[in-house]
Amino acid sequence: MVRCELGTAESADRSSDAGSDRRAYLLGVGAAMSTIAGCTTGTDDDRAPPEEVTPDREPYTLAPGEYDTIAIFRNDDPHPGYRIEALRNLETVFIEANVPVTHGVIPAAPDNAIADDSEFCREFRRRDARYPGLFEYSVHGYTHQIETAFYGGSEFGDRPFETQRELVADGISKVADCVDRRPTTFIPPANTYDEATVRAILEEDLRVVSGGEWFTRQYYGDHELPFEAGGALHVPSTHDVVADWGTLEFLPLEEMKAAFDDVEHLYVCMLHYQHFTTEERIEYLEELVEYVDRDDRVGCMTLESFGRAYLDGTLTELDGGWEYSPE
Ligand SMILES: [Zn+2]
């Protein structure tokens, strides 16, 4: 496994309050982009075009049956030129565990828009061909820049519908060209979005949106998970490994495990691959994924496979769990 060491991601400021924590989260990507120059991007080990890649294993699918909990891992922020080795570190954890993961790909980060003929996209296509069903490529906003003050900062919330629709359409097309597959889900940056965002994604045939539970509870009121509103299925992230967005300190692993044990039916864990730059952090992720996937009571899915199964009725909620019965 190739792992890139960038030292710890922690800064000296441990005194941030919730407000500055939130600002640090919103500014995290842009700030880090300008300061990180440690890793070379891409690997030279396998340059075969995707059509020559043979699958490494059978496609990942969830086995039919009953589950107490459905678990979804959502990895936000992949985009070219930014800690690519950390992205490979994270992917390797999921490949080795044979647990699916949803990548929230940023279509047009400033100076780093995705291009289908780039090594970044070729590598995605190779991974996808080699490990079918394991990776989903979702659209994570457009530029990932904060454009409005909506709920503490948003790229989409409070912007005109037409603007949102154009950005969503172009974002979908960029991600689709990159991975040779049309995305079906949308992850708004900063976990915030409004009713116009939902209309915009529906116009482009995306039916699943994943913001943050802290946000959906304020904007949509109290709800079960997942919930349908405005014609879309809302599957917000319920957990985050980062304890403090000012210092980027992680929650103790035992706390993450205990939090997972407390989950009723649906666990949506938000990750940011850029944090997995040290052996310690990678081992943390390995242990967390292994813990979540440790027995047959838990079914692991992508946002896409969960959304599709939920909406087509092959995944149904039971008292205290789920039943998955695909045709
Ligand atoms: Zn993000």
Side-chain angles (χ1 to χ4, degrees):
M1 181 194 305
V2 180
R3 285 174 176 176
C4 184
E5 306 285 339
L6 287 174
T8 76
E10 292 170 356
S11 79
D13 177 19
R14 289 168 184 277
S15 60
S16 61
D17 60 301
S20 65
D21 203 39
R22 172 100 184 112
R23 281 192 294 281
Y25 166 69
L26 296 176
L27 296 170
V29 171
M33 269 198 292
S34 60
T35 56
I36 299 302
C39 283
T40 55
T41 59
T43 56
D44 292 314
D45 55 345
D46 49 359
R47 296 271 173 182
E51 54 274 19
E52 291 175 22
V53 173
T54 47
D56 196 65
R57 55 182 74 154
E58 289 296 306
Y60 177 89
T61 53
L62 183 64
E66 292 187 6
Y67 297 92
D68 291 348
T69 304
I70 297 294
I72 297 167
F73 286 96
R74 196 189 96 187
N75 171 48
D76 291 4
D77 294 357
H79 62 283
Y82 180 51
R83 296 198 182 179
I84 298 303
E85 293 299 337
L87 180 59
R88 301 302 167 230
N89 291 343
L90 176 137
E91 288 181 326
T92 302
V93 171
F94 285 94
I95 288 168
E96 288 181 351
N98 199 36
V99 167
V101 61
T102 295
H103 285 316
V105 181
I106 303 175
D111 302 325
N112 279 306
I114 54 177
D116 58 341
D117 60 350
S118 63
E119 179 56 23
F120 177 82
C121 292
R122 275 195 292 274
E123 182 68 15
F124 269 162
R125 295 194 293 268
R126 274 198 294 269
R127 293 260 161 171
D128 206 39
R130 185 159 294 158
Y131 306 103
L134 215 54
F135 297 106
E136 177 198 352
Y137 303 92
S138 177
V139 183
H140 188 32
Y142 190 68
T143 63
H144 201 280
Q145 303 297 294
I146 298 307
E147 301 287 345
T148 72
F150 182 79
Y151 282 82
S154 187
E155 185 186 358
F156 279 74
D158 265 355
R159 294 181 82 181
F161 166 73
E162 263 314 310
T163 307
Q164 296 203 41
R165 199 195 55 77
E166 281 165 23
L167 296 176
V168 168
D170 198 42
I172 291 172
S173 122
K174 281 186 161 58
V175 174
D177 289 347
C178 180
V179 300
D180 276 346
R181 193 140 59 84
R182 194 175 159 83
T184 64
T185 68
F186 187 76
I187 301 171
N191 281 318
T192 54
Y193 56 100
D194 63 11
E195 286 169 358
T197 318
V198 173
R199 280 200 290 138
I201 66 165
L202 289 171
E203 291 255 329
E204 301 300 327
D205 293 328
L206 308 190
R207 296 180 64 198
V208 177
V209 59
S210 180
E213 190 183 7
W214 64 267
F215 162 74
T216 55
R217 290 212 181 280
Q218 292 177 66
Y219 188 72
Y220 286 99
D222 208 23
H223 53 68
E224 299 288 308
L225 283 175
F227 66 99
E228 291 180 74
L233 183 68
H234 302 246
V235 191
S237 63
T238 57
H239 291 75
D240 178 2
V241 294
V242 177
D244 181 333
W245 276 89
T247 62
L248 296 181
E249 203 170 339
F250 276 14
L251 280 167
L253 184 58
E254 292 312 311
E255 232 175 89
M256 282 304 289
K257 289 179 177 177
F260 177 72
D261 289 338
D262 286 342
V263 166
E264 299 257 333
H265 300 315
L266 181 63
Y267 178 74
V268 183
C269 185
M270 178 174 73
L271 303 167
H272 288 80
Y273 71 93
Q274 55 267 41
H275 301 153
F276 297 96
T277 51
T278 63
E279 286 292 339
E280 192 187 353
R281 289 270 167 113
I282 295 162
E283 277 162 26
Y284 178 108
L285 183 60
E286 284 169 348
E287 276 194 52
L288 177 62
V289 171
E290 197 177 298
Y291 188 79
V292 166
D293 187 44
R294 71 191 183 281
D295 65 38
D296 294 342
R297 297 180 304 104
V298 178
C300 293
M301 303 180 91
T302 60
L303 267 181
E304 178 174 52
S305 58
F306 173 81
R308 183 180 296 132
Y310 187 92
L311 290 169
D312 74 14
T314 53
L315 180 69
T316 48
E317 293 185 74
L318 298 173
D319 273 354
W322 300 90
E323 181 171 5
Y324 182 52
S325 20
E327 275 79 28

